[in-house]
Amino acid sequence: MNWNRALLTDSGGFQMVSLLKLAQITEEGVKFQSPHDGTEMLLTPERSIEIQNSIGADIIMQLDDVVHSTTTGPRVEEAMYRSIRWLDRCLEAHKRSHDQNLFPIVQGGLNPELRKICAIEMTKRDVPGFAIGGLSGGEEKSHFWRMVTLSTDHLPRDKPIYLMGVGFAVDLVVCVALGCDMFDCVFPTRTARFGSALVPTGQLHLKNKEFSCDFGPIDDTCPCSTCKTFTRAYMHTIVTVQSTSCSLLTIHNVTYQLRLMRSIQESIIANRFPQFIQKFMETMYADRQYPQWAVEALQSVNVTLCLR
């Protein structure tokens, strides 16, 4: 790959609920049909770790039993306890602990007690960091943030916490305030395919006619190669039409996300994170009609947004 920077690989657990058809989950592992030829395949915790060891990523994930975030009932408890058992199997199978960091994944759906049990149990293992999984799957934001903060409250503060599947700008800012350090999401690349550019005020839907004669860059403060080279008007002519536009907008959107996280980090180091949050929210919501869930989440960590 010639990528001399950090790499993270996932275990395949998310695909249980997002992509795979005819998957059968047992204590042994996950049986599913190959997307290539339809043959039956089995992914076990041991096999998942073996694959990730061979890839050699810096951070690797346990295989967990994932259920949709809105699932309720005994299946959620079953998946949570199985994830704990599978964690132990992953740790036993891990052959490169000297140069690869294996993260457990806290599960429990939207059930506070199950999430608490899972977090407490997983912290008993000697691991370098933790992930929070099973969220950002369509649940109400009021439930989402409460599960995030409940999880971070029961995880060590001296180890990195990775919130999986979260990528909206507001979510990133709020969840850093709630104690999360790392994130991943398809959002910046997926939204690029639909012709949307991420900017400090939200999104620009470049397919809209208003951009047909706009000869400025997507964001005049952005240093990415797309903003330095192409105008909004040019992008308007190619988005959703030429595949090149996906790459160009992806470059910009990923740059936006990286700059946002870098700004968050710098404000924390400078002990100005609350002020950063206020400015970020005022820019994103010029009318100061902030999402109620974000207001409540920030208030829970003593950050009060100015509403005037």
Side-chain angles (χ1 to χ4, degrees):
M1 291 176 63
N2 195 28
W3 178 256
N4 191 27
R5 299 190 184 188
L7 283 174
L8 182 151
T9 50
D10 201 359
S11 62
F14 176 70
Q15 280 65 36
M16 294 182 198
V17 295
S18 66
L19 298 178
L20 296 182
K21 294 182 179 180
L22 303 177
Q24 180 184 0
I25 303 169
T26 67
E27 194 63 29
E28 184 181 11
V30 188
K31 292 182 180 178
F32 60 94
Q33 286 186 344
S34 167
H36 304 293
D37 58 13
T39 58
E40 185 178 275
M41 303 181 70
L42 174 66
L43 181 65
T44 65
E46 292 80 9
R47 179 57 178 153
S48 174
I49 296 302
E50 180 185 2
I51 294 170
Q52 294 183 85
N53 282 165
S54 68
I55 294 172
D58 302 278
I59 298 175
I60 66 177
M61 310 307 297
Q62 75 154 111
L63 183 66
D64 53 341
D65 186 353
V66 184
V67 296
H68 196 278
S69 62
T70 56
T71 301
T72 58
R75 176 70 181 101
V76 180
E77 183 174 5
E78 175 191 49
M80 185 274 286
Y81 280 110
R82 180 173 287 136
S83 293
I84 295 172
R85 294 191 296 272
W86 281 3
L87 169 60
D88 290 332
R89 289 170 59 184
C90 288
L91 289 169
E92 181 68 24
H94 187 24
K95 305 302 183 186
R96 294 183 58 177
S97 58
H98 61 286
D99 65 350
Q100 286 186 289
N101 300 281
L102 173 58
F103 282 21
I105 304 175
V106 176
Q107 293 289 351
L110 301 180
N111 185 308
E113 189 59 28
L114 293 181
R115 282 220 169 247
K116 178 179 176 181
I117 291 171
C118 192
I120 292 174
E121 188 64 29
M122 287 182 167
T123 58
K124 296 177 182 178
R125 279 68 173 171
D126 183 17
V127 293
F130 296 87
I132 301 171
L135 296 174
S136 195
E139 72 277 6
E140 292 182 10
K141 288 290 191 179
S142 59
H143 295 149
F144 162 77
W145 79 261
R146 285 180 171 84
M147 293 303 100
V148 171
T149 197
L150 184 149
S151 301
T152 58
D153 283 348
H154 291 90
L155 294 174
R157 300 199 173 200
D158 61 346
K159 294 184 177 181
I161 297 176
Y162 163 33
L163 181 56
M164 306 180 78
V166 170
F168 295 155
V170 173
D171 296 13
L172 296 175
V173 172
V174 172
C175 289
V176 168
L178 297 180
C180 300
D181 306 293
M182 300 167 49
F183 307 86
D184 82 290
C185 193
V186 299
F187 173 66
T189 52
R190 176 183 288 167
T191 198
R193 296 199 298 271
F194 292 101
S196 294
L198 305 181
V199 293
T201 55
Q203 295 185 45
L204 301 181
H205 302 292
L206 293 170
K207 192 65 177 175
N208 292 351
K209 189 176 180 180
E210 62 184 291
F211 298 109
S212 61
C213 295
D214 187 337
F215 296 101
I218 293 172
D219 180 354
D220 58 13
T221 69
C222 179
C224 80
S225 57
T226 301
C227 287
K228 288 181 176 180
T229 309
F230 303 102
T231 66
R232 294 178 177 184
Y234 175 75
M235 295 303 298
H236 167 80
T237 65
I238 66 170
V239 292
T240 72
V241 177
Q242 296 184 20
S243 59
T244 306
S245 67
C246 302
S247 298
L248 294 176
L249 276 181
T250 291
I251 290 170
H252 168 76
N253 286 350
V254 171
T255 301
Y256 169 83
Q257 299 281 76
L258 291 173
R259 294 178 70 209
L260 173 62
M261 294 305 297
R262 187 176 296 114
S263 296
I264 290 173
Q265 182 186 49
E266 291 171 351
S267 73
I268 292 172
I269 293 172
N271 200 28
R272 291 187 55 82
F273 188 41
Q275 293 90 330
F276 172 88
I277 295 173
Q278 182 68 51
K279 183 177 180 181
F280 168 84
M281 295 295 282
E282 288 177 356
T283 302
M284 185 67 68
Y285 301 97
D287 59 2
R288 303 207 180 182
Q289 297 297 308
Y290 308 129
Q292 186 60 32
W293 75 269
V295 173
E296 294 174 357
L298 292 169
Q299 285 177 340
S300 75
V301 289
N302 300 316
V303 176
T304 302
L305 295 175
C306 178
L307 301 178
R308 295 185 179 181

